[in-house]
Amino acid sequence: QVQLVQSGGEMKKPGASVRVSCKASGYIFTIFGITWVRQAPGQGLEWMGWISSDDGNTNYAQKFQGRVTMTTDTSTSTAYMDLRSLRSDDTAVYYCARGKFGLGPSHFFGIDVWGQGTTVTVSS
Amino acid sequence: DMQMTQSPSFLSASVGDTVTITCRASERISRWLAWYQQRPGKAPNLLIYKASILESGVPSRFSGSGSGTEFTLTISSLQPDDFATYYCQQYNSYPWTFGQGTKVEIK
């Protein structure tokens, strides 16, 4: 079945970096892009950006520009999200999810498959 | 950034009730809106995209409507599985933004 499996939880100190991985299976990886959405404890959903799995094209939310890098490895059908200069308010569950990105809203059909989430805790 | 405002933030309902959640955009977004359901401790689940198109496998008691700046999600005949938090998401412009969520609880 189609699934995205994320790496395990991380505890980091302020100023450090974190890498979260997201391994896809059950579909042709390069047909869909990967987006990253985070959720702080007890809060709503916040979109961070997306990456096209075929050509590596990215679109980051301005809030994260300069601190986030999204990449994919098509040989292993895995996406990665690196977040640098971590702060306490980066403490959240980070989700990877699948969708059709980069072709405009008429070609977007929702974020239809989500990973299980990775808890990143930033604390001194 | 586009602001998405859901109302109510919380509602209490009984099994079998029909409930409606409203999502308002700060600017016109045509019909570029999706709805998600999130149960506690779980990832969100896509219900509807393009304001009214039901995702495959989603029960027909869920329906969406609206265009421009005002949208609604209606759940007919609430089932125990439907008690969850619901989010709208606009994808008309970047950054994509979500509403703050509407928590549906059992009365």
Side-chain angles (χ1 to χ4, degrees), chain B residues 22-98:
Chain B
T22 298
C23 176
R24 289 186 173 88
S26 59
E27 302 168 35
R28 295 182 64 84
I29 60 169
S30 185
R31 293 175 58 81
W32 308 128
L33 184 102
W35 289 96
Y36 300 87
Q37 175 194 67
Q38 186 178 34
R39 298 189 179 97
K42 299 295 186 183
N45 181 48
L46 175 66
L47 299 174
I48 285 167
Y49 61 93
K50 202 178 177 184
S52 63
I53 299 177
L54 203 64
E55 171 68 354
S56 175
V58 173
S60 58
R61 63 180 179 274
F62 291 91
S63 63
S65 66
S67 67
T69 61
E70 187 157 333
F71 302 84
T72 59
L73 172 70
T74 300
I75 313 171
S76 305
S77 188
L78 265 176
Q79 298 301 300
D81 263 355
D82 301 337
F83 292 94
T85 300
Y86 294 85
Y87 294 94
C88 61
Q89 177 228 342
Q90 68 81 20
Y91 51 96
N92 179 74
S93 62
Y94 293 109
W96 291 349
T97 47
F98 292 86

Side-chain angles (χ1 to χ4, degrees), chain A residues 39 50 59 95 108 111 114-115, chain B residues 36 38 42-44 87 91 94:
Chain A
Q39 187 169 37
W50 54 250
N59 188 325
Y95 294 102
F108 177 71
I111 303 169
W114 294 67
Chain B
Y36 300 87
Q38 186 178 34
K42 299 295 186 183
Y87 294 94
Y91 51 96
Y94 293 109

